[in-house]
Amino acid sequence: MIKNFKKLTAIGAAVALTLGLTACGGSGGAAASAGSTGAAGTELASGSAENTSKSGQVFRTLDEIKESGEINIGVFSDKSPFGYVDENGDYQGYDIYFADRLAKDLGVKANYVSTEAANRIEYLQTGKVDVILANFTVTDERKEEVDFALPYMNVSLGVVSPSDKVVKSLDDLTADDPVIVISGTTAETYLIENYPNLTLQKYDTYANAKNALENGNGVAWVNDNTEVLAFASENDGYEVGIATLGSKDTIAPAVTKENQTLLDAINGEIKSLGEEQFFHKDYEETLVDTYGADYEDELVVEGGVTE
């Protein structure tokens, strides 16, 4: 039930402007919720954030989400195998498998909203989504703007480059060797802080970054190691010369600051799913074809407990 009609109208207008970026869809995977919404790219995010945090961010509480019957989840639509739209227009991937189960256990439909790396925080703070499940790496800087739940995956950075000129050390590069990154990612932040003399070619989407590498617009692409390993395995002529760059981090869901009821529910869900080894099942359903069984225990985090 919407308690504040004026606020609904204002937020509804803002959401309408982002029609091209929003979508609702359900995974066809084994964990798909019976209440997940249909094909991608057909509807706006439903519901309206009714609460405002001390910093001016808006959000819906767990009770309000349940009352609406839908949870708006920000996911990637072009980052296989974590979040992508298949040939039938349905969302698939590691994040989607988890999102479907989360929605099912909350007793609501999953309404998927396509997001890009650079606008994940914005979509939370403006109430366009209730939770982000878009391969979101936990960092101290991001903790100042959103609240992270328990982790469900390990990750670090990696570097992929053409096989005929493999980049094995960023120290070998100069300002004349452009490096591809995606805006708003930890890769961008890491390179700016640690390799300020490198020339960065920045792109807003994963699809554009991949196209740039394929078109020779950069000597290498720096991104999550899971992503560059997947790219190299799926595309002939490319090799991951640096499999681990910088520190090891974790991937976790994120909610708007002060949305404690939803944060508690997600943390409880992650702990409960850990008891049934859910994320190992998720890996085997969505990632094993890309990474093989050898990476499973290294990448998967069960119950929010890291080594």
Side-chain angles (χ1 to χ4, degrees):
M1 180 180 295
I2 303 302
K3 300 177 182 177
N4 189 326
F5 179 77
K6 291 183 178 180
K7 185 174 289 185
L8 169 64
T9 303
I11 295 176
V15 173
L17 293 175
T18 61
L19 178 60
L21 289 177
T22 55
C24 62
S27 165
S33 163
S36 295
T37 50
T42 57
E43 298 179 17
L44 293 172
S46 63
S48 176
E50 300 182 13
N51 304 278
T52 304
S53 70
K54 294 178 181 178
S55 59
Q57 302 174 25
V58 291
F59 61 87
R60 298 192 299 164
T61 65
L62 178 64
D63 285 343
E64 289 165 342
I65 290 169
K66 288 185 174 182
E67 186 176 0
S68 76
E70 289 190 345
I71 183 169
N72 301 320
I73 306 177
V75 296
F76 286 129
S77 60
D78 64 350
K79 190 179 181 183
S80 175
F82 298 96
Y84 64 98
V85 177
D86 67 14
E87 64 275 7
N88 297 316
D90 294 326
Y91 279 92
Q92 304 286 355
Y94 186 79
D95 290 340
I96 311 303
Y97 192 98
F98 172 36
D100 281 341
R101 177 62 182 271
L102 174 64
K104 179 180 179 180
D105 289 348
L106 291 178
V108 297
K109 294 180 181 179
N111 184 57
Y112 291 121
V113 180
S114 178
T115 185
E116 297 171 2
N119 59 26
R120 289 175 293 194
I121 292 175
E122 174 197 345
Y123 273 27
L124 280 175
Q125 293 178 338
T126 57
K128 292 177 183 177
V129 298
D130 301 304
V131 57
I132 286 289
L133 281 175
N135 216 234
F136 209 10
T137 302
V138 179
T139 68
D140 290 338
E141 182 181 20
R142 289 170 176 170
K143 285 179 181 178
E144 295 178 0
E145 300 189 80
V146 301
D147 284 336
F148 282 102
L150 294 171
Y152 60 93
M153 192 171 192
N154 292 312
V155 70
S156 64
L157 298 178
V159 182
V160 62
S161 50
S163 300
D164 59 357
K165 194 175 181 181
V166 179
V167 174
K168 295 186 177 181
S169 173
L170 295 182
D171 294 328
D172 296 334
L173 303 181
T174 69
D176 295 326
D177 301 312
V179 175
I180 296 167
V181 295
I182 298 168
S183 298
T185 62
T186 52
E188 178 189 22
T189 302
Y190 177 83
L191 292 177
I192 289 174
E193 292 178 351
N194 294 278
Y195 294 90
N197 294 326
L198 290 183
T199 300
L200 303 185
Q201 296 283 4
K202 301 180 183 181
Y203 298 89
D204 290 333
T205 69
Y206 287 86
N208 288 340
K210 292 174 182 178
N211 289 337
L213 183 63
E214 292 171 341
N215 293 331
N217 294 336
V219 298
W221 177 21
V222 181
N223 201 39
D224 290 353
N225 62 349
T226 49
E227 177 67 14
V228 298
L229 286 166
F231 180 86
S233 70
E234 296 168 357
N235 296 272
D236 292 335
Y238 296 92
E239 183 175 330
V240 176
I242 305 174
T244 301
L245 180 68
S247 63
K248 289 187 177 182
D249 298 304
T250 57
I251 299 294
V255 301
T256 308
K257 277 288 186 184
E258 301 177 32
N259 194 353
Q260 194 63 45
T261 57
L262 181 57
L263 182 65
D264 290 344
I266 295 173
N267 281 336
E269 177 77 354
I270 290 174
K271 290 179 181 178
S272 177
L273 292 177
E275 296 176 2
E276 63 182 75
Q277 295 291 288
F278 171 84
F279 290 102
H280 279 80
K281 297 174 185 176
D282 189 349
Y283 183 99
E284 290 159 9
E285 288 287 339
T286 62
L287 301 184
V288 72
D289 288 344
T290 300
Y291 302 113
D294 292 343
Y295 281 100
E296 184 170 347
D297 289 335
E298 179 180 340
L299 295 177
V300 171
V301 174
E302 287 287 3
V305 180
T306 58
E307 295 296 336

